[in-house]
Amino acid sequence: MVIPWLTLETLAADIVSVASLGDAPRNFASWYRVVQRLLSKIPACYDTLTTRDIADKVRATRQRGEGVDLTIPTNSGRYRLLTRPIFGPTGEVHAVRVWLGPANVTVPTPQPAVGVIWDLDTQTILQPDTVTQLTGVGGEAYVPTLSIAELFHRATVFDQHAELLELLYDPDSGGRLQFDATIRDRRGRNGVWRITIRTRVDHRGRGAWWLIEDVTSTASAPERAPLESVGLREAHRRAGTHLALVQVEWTSIAHWLTDPAPWVRWDYLYRPVDVFHPDDRAQLMELGDQLRSNDTAGMTIRTLNYFGEYTATRLLLYPHPGFPQRKSALAQLTWAACDSGATTRISRRNNNPFAPEQPLGYDAELREITTRDHAS
């Protein structure tokens, strides 16, 4: 019998709960009860090991960022207590793994896991370079930040967009969420991630801390998109329209419901808000106010393209039934040149023509990915 690792999330200050036991989710269960249950299966350890002892080792691992390997002598033989930290992008411990069993038993190799941080001010997910160990990521160029739209774009099986966005954009709620998502990389390889999230507002920032566990099974079969989703994408592709979920108050694209608009650069950006021209963002927020009394609201807005310039795009907003407060809206995007017969380009350079133009994102990584996709 294989003894699984216990994963304790430490995503918020002074809070510890169970994220998973082996490959099974535990959805923030009480760590005390789970540890007591584990100890009850090893009565030989009761004389020399208590729940408090395990808690002390977990606390030490969290504070020092160092694992523990403790040998426990008992009347029935020697046992081992192991702890392993899981780090986030800032070097903080997002979770602690615990294993307890006989010393003569082979310790299973735990699945890869990493911590990431959602920063609300920049609307980006900060990730360590160890994220490339997760299935579905290794074949892509690593960048230290990505938008929530980029993460959603990788997920082929996931239907909790509304719940996740409500949590991420309202960190003061003290919310938490755990879910599984099927992730596909650019080469078509699938992985299954278990994501555990707690919002966090303190001296470390305003947003949410995440734990991502790779729970991909060798028996996992590639998931297929629902037939209605495939039909929706094809219909909009033929019509030349594209649907996105837009965070109106934050002026960013949160999720593409169809294929992304090919003339809009929305990925590999330092700041997701840069997809819309700075002079148009205030008007976009005003459209959100119009949706409170109207069924639709529209404007021609300037969107960033892959040449580093801004292009005219027709944007038509609809209320999203999953977001009653109208903080998010469904947006239909159409290339404005389709109506005017000419491409409208507006340079993003400043008033000084001799000043160097600063990149808005990870241009080198984007070129690498684009070249690789064309080559394949």
Side-chain angles (χ1 to χ4, degrees):
M1 179 180 177
V2 178
I3 301 176
W5 284 85
L6 172 67
T7 303
L8 303 177
E9 60 86 9
T10 57
L11 300 172
D14 301 324
I15 297 179
V16 177
S17 70
V18 182
S20 62
L21 180 58
D23 286 343
R26 284 298 180 262
N27 198 28
F28 305 98
S30 166
W31 72 268
Y32 185 85
R33 293 181 181 177
V34 173
V35 169
Q36 284 278 44
R37 196 173 300 121
L38 289 176
L39 284 175
S40 67
K41 298 178 181 179
I42 313 175
C45 292
Y46 265 125
D47 294 337
T48 53
L49 188 67
T50 66
T51 305
R52 173 58 61 184
D53 295 331
I54 296 177
D56 290 340
K57 301 305 179 185
V58 170
R59 186 180 302 108
T61 300
R62 181 181 188 180
Q63 293 175 349
R64 301 172 187 171
E66 299 176 352
V68 169
D69 188 345
L70 179 66
T71 300
I72 306 165
T74 72
N75 294 331
S76 300
R78 293 187 306 158
Y79 283 76
R80 290 178 71 191
L81 173 65
L82 304 175
T83 66
R84 296 289 183 269
I86 298 174
F87 297 101
T90 61
E92 299 283 348
V93 176
H94 285 226
V96 176
R97 278 176 164 156
V98 180
W99 187 88
L100 177 63
N104 60 352
V105 171
T106 300
V107 180
T109 301
Q111 292 276 44
V114 299
V116 303
I117 295 176
W118 162 259
D119 180 67
L120 180 57
D121 292 337
T122 61
Q123 297 184 81
T124 56
I125 298 171
L126 286 67
Q127 53 183 6
D129 56 6
T130 51
V131 73
T132 57
Q133 299 174 4
L134 302 179
T135 305
V137 180
E140 300 182 22
Y142 164 75
V143 290
T145 63
L146 74 160
S147 67
I148 189 65
E150 289 175 278
L151 179 64
F152 283 157
H153 198 62
R154 294 178 180 177
T156 60
V157 180
F158 177 63
D159 60 359
Q160 293 180 265
H161 302 87
E163 295 93 328
L164 179 54
L165 289 173
E166 287 284 359
L167 180 145
L168 295 182
Y169 282 88
D170 186 17
D172 296 311
S173 65
R176 65 185 190 184
L177 187 65
Q178 185 179 74
F179 56 87
D180 287 1
T182 299
I183 304 295
R184 178 175 298 172
D185 67 9
R186 291 177 179 267
R187 298 183 180 181
R189 295 175 299 182
N190 275 25
V192 181
W193 293 359
R194 174 157 303 127
I195 301 178
T196 306
I197 304 175
R198 281 187 187 271
T199 59
R200 187 159 180 166
V201 179
D202 55 25
H203 65 283
R204 288 182 170 87
R206 184 165 178 252
W209 280 29
W210 301 32
L211 168 66
I212 303 179
E213 300 175 81
D214 190 333
V215 293
T216 305
S217 170
T218 55
S220 297
E223 299 282 354
R224 293 184 177 181
L227 184 60
E228 59 271 19
S229 175
V230 175
L232 173 68
R233 286 175 176 265
E234 180 62 18
H236 280 278
R237 186 187 67 81
R238 291 176 178 270
T241 57
H242 303 265
L243 290 182
L245 183 65
V246 173
Q247 294 293 109
V248 181
E249 290 188 358
W250 292 84
T251 63
S252 64
I253 294 176
H255 177 47
W256 288 100
L257 284 78
T258 63
D259 292 337
W263 68 91
V264 177
R265 178 178 174 181
W266 59 278
D267 50 354
Y268 287 90
L269 293 173
Y270 296 144
R271 304 192 319 151
V273 295
D274 284 330
V275 72
F276 298 117
H277 194 284
D279 295 339
D280 295 342
R281 294 170 196 162
Q283 189 176 353
L284 176 58
M285 287 188 284
E286 292 175 1
L287 287 186
D289 296 332
Q290 295 181 26
L291 285 180
R292 301 181 186 277
S293 56
N294 300 299
D295 291 334
T296 61
M299 65 177 289
T300 297
I301 195 169
R302 291 165 287 184
T303 55
L304 185 67
N305 63 28
Y306 287 93
F307 298 100
E309 298 170 320
Y310 280 89
T311 306
T313 297
R314 183 61 185 169
L315 193 71
L316 187 61
L317 296 183
Y318 303 88
H320 191 295
F323 298 89
Q325 297 180 352
R326 307 296 170 88
K327 294 181 179 180
S328 300
L330 294 174
Q332 177 179 290
L333 291 83
T334 309
W335 190 29
C338 296
D339 300 326
S340 63
T343 301
T344 304
R345 287 184 177 176
I346 302 143
S347 175
R348 61 180 176 86
R349 296 182 185 275
N350 54 33
N351 293 329
N352 182 359
F354 299 103
E357 194 167 17
Q358 298 297 320
L360 293 178
Y362 303 99
D363 296 345
E365 288 81 0
L366 178 61
R367 285 192 296 270
E368 180 182 343
I369 288 292
T370 302
T371 302
R372 185 184 305 166
D373 288 348
H374 287 315
S376 59

